[in-house]
Amino acid sequence: MTLHIPFDNTYTALGSVFYRKQAPEPVSQPRVLAFNHDLAQLLGITPGDLPEMAEVFGGNRVPEGADPLAQLYAGHQFGTFNPQLGDGRAVLLGEVVGTDGIRRDIQLKGSGRTPYSRRGDGRAWMGPVLREYVVSEAMHALGIPTTRALAAVETGDPVWREGAMPGAVLTRVAASHLRVGTFQIFAARGEREALKRLTHYAIERHYPGVDGPMGLLRAVRDAQARLVAQWMSVGFIHGVMNTDNCTISGETIDYGPCAFMDIYNPSQVFSSIDRMGRYAYDNQPGIIVWNLAQLATALIQQLEDPQEAVEEATEIVHAMPGMIEREWLSRFAAKIGIARPQTSDMTLIEDLLERMAAGQADFTNTFRALSGEAARDQFIDPEAFDGWADGWRQRLEAEENPKTLMQQVNPAFIPRNHRMEEMIAAAVSGNMALFERMNTVLSRPYEDQPEHADLQNPPKPDEVVPATFCGT
Ligand code: AMP
Ligand code: MG
């Protein structure tokens, strides 16, 4: 079989101010570590034999129809504006329209230097590549909008991080790679025409029919409000919510230092570079609003008189916290078996969360156990749970099918940090068994899979992973 990717590119036509043409840099000995056949099928891609796939997804051969380029963008990193970022270690090969009619980008990440690499080497090592593969596919299976992973290829070249690490390239698939930062760069430069064209392109691609820049702002707000509530509902901490890592499509992107919580701790931070806790678990709803305000600021720069739009843009942004709160309430209510929440259910949920934090309860396992008998065992002091559960059981009398609802929304399996570390260590020494098992199990996260119960266990004290690294 010969690899075939049905490219249908549109970004190139947007204009050369938006990117630089850049082919991936060749690697020594590409070898396929993983290929996602289900996703390939959705994208209309015919897989080839392994050596050919290694050549293409390792970056040694540009496939027919591809038009590789590095995209330009800026972004606020930890609150500080960086006027020029861009794909420093990634190239967009092109776009395909899937069997579902959705247009998606196919990007190689870790594919070598580009005009935007600054001092970076343009590369990635196997650890973060496999981590992004597993976590992004797990997020997809959880029902959370996300970029996806099509392939992981080992390069055969060392990458220098805390020492020599095996290099790898991830093939990332996204509804697009447009970010808040893509708008910010042209706004900062006062390039109104470019901003207008980008706005038009984003609307056509993601929200056809919405009206102008303020319509786009509303649509992104709605998508990001839903997204952050979904993250919260599974204990996901993104870790680096810079505006260049915040998509226009509403997909989760950039799995650098992300992690799922084990023990519930609202102020949990994993990222080793997030010293101030800006991107802590419970700061995420506030940060997404801040990011949307940056998008608003950028979008209005395309207007003849930006001042005229300030009031409307402000209103749109100010409505976001309330929307997130409603999304949050509906998701957390479902987690405790309530299908149609009332405002008063907020207190019930918050009471449980407070007791979970005090009782050092595992976030995932506690919610999963609510539909069984064992939830109280998750708490240091099980009576703290009992004190909550009486009121909860009374409330559930008004619900039709709380058990089923809870099982549908509370995952049994998440990618636990300590197992991810174990998976990466094994993969580096050539053993892909845990990687493959995690992918299989995490593709059905809401099903009990007793033969894989070990993947549900929280870390033992000596297994706890205290920090995650950008891994760049
Ligand atoms: P990130 O924190 O991964 O979102 O990356 C922020 C910026 O740094 C983006 O412009 C990346 O392309 C760039 N970058 C990250 N790692 C590297 C690397 N190893 N080489 C070149 N550029 C990089
Ligand atoms: Mg990024």
Side-chain angles (χ1 to χ4, degrees):
M1 244 185 341
T2 310
L3 173 66
H4 176 70
I5 308 175
F7 284 109
D8 177 31
N9 307 332
T10 61
Y11 205 74
T12 341
L14 194 55
S16 57
V17 295
F18 295 95
Y19 57 82
R20 295 276 195 89
K21 296 264 177 130
Q22 174 68 56
E25 287 186 327
V27 301
S28 304
Q29 259 192 336
R31 192 173 67 88
V32 175
L33 293 169
F35 185 77
N36 189 338
H37 285 273
D38 289 346
L39 180 56
Q41 193 168 23
L42 174 70
L43 300 176
I45 293 174
T46 315
D49 56 25
L50 286 175
E52 188 188 12
M53 303 236 281
E55 287 290 309
V56 169
F57 297 116
N60 281 2
R61 205 186 86 211
V62 174
E64 201 186 310
D67 196 0
L69 57 88
Q71 289 181 324
L72 181 60
Y73 53 87
H76 277 91
Q77 300 180 302
F78 292 92
T80 306
F81 188 61
N82 190 328
Q84 150 104 56
L85 293 165
D87 291 332
R89 54 160 168 170
V91 292
L92 175 66
L93 285 184
E95 301 146 41
V96 296
V97 178
T99 56
D100 56 0
I102 297 176
R103 173 179 298 281
R104 294 186 181 84
D105 283 359
I106 300 185
Q107 191 203 59
L108 299 186
K109 182 173 172 186
S111 54
R113 288 180 52 83
T114 78
Y116 311 127
S117 296
R118 294 172 291 163
R119 286 185 303 276
D121 59 4
R123 292 296 180 186
W125 74 275
M126 203 196 272
V129 165
L130 295 181
R131 166 187 262 279
E132 174 158 349
Y133 195 114
V134 172
V135 184
S136 64
E137 286 302 303
M139 290 286 269
H140 172 73
L142 285 164
I144 302 178
T146 176
T147 65
R148 298 193 59 188
L150 179 64
V153 170
E154 188 178 359
T155 62
D157 299 316
V159 171
W160 298 91
R161 293 296 181 262
E162 272 97 54
M165 310 303 247
V169 177
L170 179 78
T171 305
R172 176 161 75 181
V173 173
S176 86
H177 284 85
L178 297 177
R179 312 136 190 273
V180 170
T182 319
F183 287 83
Q184 285 182 288
I185 192 161
F186 300 105
R189 292 177 174 179
E191 294 183 23
R192 273 178 43 207
E193 279 314 307
L195 261 182
K196 277 188 201 168
R197 246 183 306 148
L198 190 61
T199 301
H200 179 75
Y201 181 86
I203 290 174
E204 293 286 296
R205 187 155 172 182
H206 296 298
Y207 307 104
V210 312
D211 191 18
M214 292 303 107
L216 178 60
L217 184 62
R218 266 192 208 92
V220 177
R221 175 196 63 190
D222 296 357
Q224 288 287 349
R226 273 195 300 276
L227 181 64
V228 78
Q230 282 181 284
W231 289 356
M232 301 302 281
S233 77
V234 295
F236 177 76
I237 303 170
H238 182 280
V240 58
M241 291 174 71
N242 295 335
T243 57
D244 53 305
N245 294 332
C246 180
T247 58
I248 296 304
S249 66
E251 284 183 344
T252 311
I253 198 170
D254 214 319
Y255 288 89
C258 71
F260 283 78
M261 279 196 281
D262 295 302
I263 287 172
Y264 174 63
N265 166 13
S267 55
Q268 178 78 55
V269 177
F270 285 105
S271 170
S272 58
I273 56 170
D274 190 3
R275 295 209 174 79
M276 310 291 281
R278 179 180 171 91
Y279 300 137
Y281 173 77
D282 64 354
N283 274 357
Q284 297 185 119
I287 289 292
I288 202 67
V289 177
W290 193 89
N291 286 352
L292 194 83
Q294 307 316 310
L295 179 63
T297 308
L299 281 171
I300 62 175
Q301 303 308 316
Q302 69 192 271
L303 304 171
E304 203 87 33
D305 178 7
Q307 280 309 316
E308 271 180 20
V310 167
E311 203 176 317
E312 188 181 358
T314 306
E315 247 171 60
I316 294 171
V317 176
H318 281 184
M320 195 180 193
M323 296 180 67
I324 296 173
E325 194 170 292
R326 285 190 291 280
E327 291 283 344
W328 184 95
L329 176 60
S330 99
R331 300 210 172 256
F332 274 82
K335 288 178 83 64
I336 63 169
I338 298 170
R340 271 168 301 277
Q342 293 146 10
T343 324
S344 57
D345 292 322
M346 188 79 105
T347 323
L348 190 64
I349 299 164
E350 278 169 352
D351 185 13
L352 173 63
L353 288 172
E354 273 166 33
R355 290 169 196 246
M356 282 169 61
Q360 295 186 23
D362 183 84
F363 185 85
T364 304
N365 291 352
T366 302
F367 281 108
R368 183 70 181 182
L370 285 180
S371 44
E373 305 299 326
R376 67 191 305 277
D377 302 338
Q378 298 290 328
F379 293 73
I380 288 177
D381 170 17
E383 283 173 16
F385 175 78
D386 301 337
W388 174 80
D390 287 341
W392 171 56
R393 291 203 179 93
Q394 264 173 22
R395 172 66 183 82
L396 285 194
E397 280 166 19
E399 293 294 318
E400 264 163 40
N401 225 331
K403 248 190 181 162
T404 314
L405 177 60
M406 287 189 280
Q407 273 161 356
Q408 284 166 349
V409 301
N410 292 322
F413 295 94
I414 51 156
R416 299 248 178 205
N417 294 322
H418 64 297
R419 301 312 295 270
M420 298 282 282
E421 296 298 312
E422 184 189 336
M423 176 277 284
I424 291 167
V428 166
S429 60
N431 181 349
M432 296 295 285
L434 185 53
F435 170 85
E436 273 147 29
R437 186 158 75 96
M438 287 183 95
N439 274 328
T440 309
V441 172
L442 290 165
S443 71
R444 293 179 293 137
Y446 299 105
E447 286 173 32
D448 289 318
Q449 302 173 54
E451 66 281 25
H452 298 294
D454 63 299
L455 292 177
Q456 292 179 279
N457 294 338
K460 300 194 183 86
D462 63 325
E463 292 174 330
V464 171
V465 180
T468 54
F469 301 89
C470 250
T472 56

